Amino acid sequence: MTQERVKEVTDHFRRVFGSEPQRIVRAPGRVELLGNHTDYNEGFVLPAALDLDVMAAGSLRNDDLVSAYSANFDTLVEFPLSRIEKDLVNTWSNYVRGVLKFLGESGVRLQGVNMAISGNVPVGSGLSSSAAIEMAVGFLMQALVGFEMSGPDLALIGQRAENEFVGVSTGIMDQFVSRLGKKDHALFLDCRTLCYEHVPLETRSIKIVVCDTMKRRGLVDSEYDQRRAQCEEAVRLLSQWIPNVRALRDVSKGDFELYKDRLPEVIRKRAQHVIYENERVLKSREVLNAGDYESFARLLDECHESARDLYEVSCAELDTMVEICRQAPGAMCARLTGAGFGGCTVSLVRDEHVDAFVNAVKTGYAERTGVTPAIYVCTAEDGASIVQ
Ligand code: GLA
């Protein structure tokens, strides 16, 4: 599979630029297993990098021009490194532009580059195709130019590109795991300190199955920003009564229970989701380290209920998909994943039942909604790597 995709991106590069690429890298999409809307609350997350990824092939040029070809859009864009501006037509290129701009601003001496990018992370379904492009481009530049930059720092460059250049206010989870994920592991990340740890998640006997409701929503949506503002409001209120609260991450379950009745209802529900979700992520690290997949699956189920009822980021399509997935053969759990309001669910499914699970969910969801879902049977893979 990887070999085929390497060949494909190499062929695109040859055709567009008439030469061989010097380097090929890949960076994966991700699934959020736990840690729903906790990253921007300086809390904990537990995503995994997937076997869906973006491949980037590139060679340095002797000038200041960036020539970037997207195989997915069959489009070539060109711009000088000295003047990186937003592209309102080829919006995919803003991820490339943003990363190069902030790499430059961080003091890295860049050089012009020819690159071809080709990805199989579904766009707009919540598996972070954008973070995969950002990390593929950043890692490709690192491989070509040879500058020193730690994984967390490259992830921060990607997040800046997303926040300040593309203009979407996401947390650090997506870029971080795309850069630093590990095969057969989930990634436990403290989003305040950026300390991280790989926890075993063996994906031979258990598969990560992602089911796309096919309902699309852009993250630019105001709902995401509204949730962030509600969390900030919860912090403002709680910090009046609890010392040293800078983010919801600092509020313990005990303190929350003591003061929650003083909060307006909506604010209380948002804070409760985040505070208990942080607890679930901490617990998940323990149970996965002990190989207890049953308990892990229960935490994912609880996460969905909380995201639906307290954080209110689910929708009819996601709830229907979760219901169908939970009843399908081999299912251990199901929850919405990522920002919500559409996009995908994630389930853990016993390997021997995966085909039956996929069939049951395909037919079940089509019968209930009239829409055929896309289903991805995934394994946990390495973050960004050089493939050639
Ligand atoms: C999106 C964002 C992430 C995170 C999730 C919700 O995927 O990109 O940073 O906030 O939503 O957990």
Side-chain angles (χ1 to χ4, degrees):
M1 183 61 183
T2 306
Q3 273 330 98
E4 269 168 41
R5 309 237 356 272
V6 171
K7 184 177 173 316
E8 189 195 319
V9 77
T10 310
D11 288 346
H12 284 300
F13 189 93
R14 280 195 198 116
R15 185 174 49 77
V16 176
F17 300 107
S19 61
E20 293 297 309
Q22 286 165 350
R23 285 281 191 207
I24 302 175
V25 305
R26 62 169 278 284
R30 66 97 185 91
V31 69
E32 171 197 290
L33 292 166
L34 275 177
N36 184 245
H37 291 271
T38 47
D39 60 357
Y40 54 81
N41 287 298
E42 299 185 24
F44 307 105
V45 290
L46 189 96
L50 299 176
D51 49 340
L52 299 164
D53 54 31
V54 168
M55 296 262 176
S59 291
L60 290 177
R61 301 169 53 107
N62 292 321
D63 56 17
D64 152 78
L65 194 73
V66 177
S67 190
Y69 172 78
S70 159
N72 298 74
F73 293 92
D74 188 20
T75 311
L76 182 76
V77 298
E78 297 200 317
F79 57 92
L81 281 169
S82 53
R83 211 181 60 243
I84 302 184
E85 283 162 4
K86 211 163 162 175
D87 187 331
L88 300 176
V89 179
N90 300 298
T91 49
W92 63 268
S93 76
N94 289 325
Y95 302 105
V96 181
R97 292 167 196 262
V99 166
L100 295 176
K101 182 177 166 77
F102 293 123
L103 274 178
E105 282 186 13
S106 76
V108 168
R109 278 176 64 93
L110 293 176
Q111 217 175 304
V113 62
N114 292 333
M115 65 171 94
I117 304 169
S118 162
N120 65 1
V121 188
V123 174
S125 54
L127 298 181
S128 294
S129 55
S130 57
I133 298 182
E134 288 154 6
M135 291 302 95
V137 170
F139 205 62
L140 177 69
M141 289 315 282
Q142 209 174 349
L144 287 170
V145 180
F147 57 87
E148 292 277 325
M149 183 170 283
S150 72
D153 282 343
L154 189 65
L156 286 167
I157 295 273
Q159 188 196 10
R160 253 190 102 186
E162 187 100 27
N163 294 172
E164 295 172 36
F165 196 81
V166 179
V168 183
S169 56
T170 56
I172 186 64
M173 168 170 64
D174 310 343
Q175 291 80 8
F176 204 97
V177 67
S178 177
R179 173 65 188 84
L180 287 152
K182 184 172 169 187
K183 187 174 175 59
D184 280 326
H185 287 76
L187 181 131
F188 170 86
L189 171 65
D190 178 333
C191 299
R192 172 174 282 167
T193 62
L194 297 191
C195 288
Y196 65 99
E197 188 183 311
H198 294 113
V199 285
L201 176 66
E202 180 275 297
T203 45
R204 271 177 310 271
S205 57
I206 293 173
K207 291 287 180 284
I208 301 168
V209 184
V210 173
C211 300
D212 191 343
T213 61
M214 312 308 274
K215 181 166 183 228
R216 292 287 173 265
R217 80 169 267 279
L219 254 194
V220 199
D221 263 359
S222 57
E223 292 284 357
Y224 189 87
D225 292 338
Q226 195 197 56
R227 293 300 180 284
R228 288 186 76 136
Q230 288 165 339
C231 290
E232 280 162 24
E233 176 63 2
V235 169
R236 194 184 67 76
L237 293 171
L238 288 167
S239 64
Q240 303 177 99
W241 314 306
I242 314 169
N244 302 322
V245 169
R246 279 199 290 130
L248 281 178
R249 138 74 172 275
D250 299 312
V251 182
S252 69
K253 269 196 308 192
D255 277 343
F256 176 73
E257 290 301 326
L258 222 51
Y259 295 105
K260 68 177 184 191
D261 294 337
R262 299 192 193 179
L263 298 173
E265 195 196 344
V266 171
I267 303 295
R268 177 187 60 73
K269 292 204 294 193
R270 305 300 187 251
Q272 189 171 335
H273 169 74
V274 172
I275 291 163
Y276 281 78
E277 181 71 355
N278 275 329
E279 291 289 324
R280 281 189 283 276
V281 179
L282 289 170
K283 181 85 186 148
S284 75
R285 179 173 56 165
E286 249 171 64
V287 300
L288 279 181
N289 274 322
D292 180 359
Y293 290 105
E294 298 289 339
S295 300
F296 183 56
R298 267 198 302 279
L299 293 168
L300 269 74
D301 280 340
E302 282 170 31
C303 169
H304 183 76
E305 267 64 84
S306 176
R308 182 191 63 203
D309 302 336
L310 297 174
Y311 218 62
E312 297 179 281
V313 290
S314 193
C315 60
E317 292 84 348
L318 283 167
D319 290 338
T320 303
M321 186 68 93
V322 162
E323 211 179 288
I324 293 169
C325 285
R326 285 181 182 172
Q327 286 160 9
M332 299 175 69
C333 57
R335 57 158 292 220
L336 66 82
T337 183
F341 298 104
C344 297
T345 65
V346 61
S347 289
L348 297 176
V349 180
R350 291 178 211 289
D351 185 61
E352 66 269 30
H353 298 296
V354 158
D355 293 342
F357 176 93
V358 170
N359 285 334
V361 173
K362 271 215 165 117
T363 13
Y365 189 77
E367 269 168 21
R368 294 264 298 267
T369 64
V371 174
T372 305
I375 301 185
Y376 306 92
V377 176
C378 301
T379 50
E381 296 297 327
D382 284 332
S385 51
I386 296 179
V387 290
Q388 197 171 296

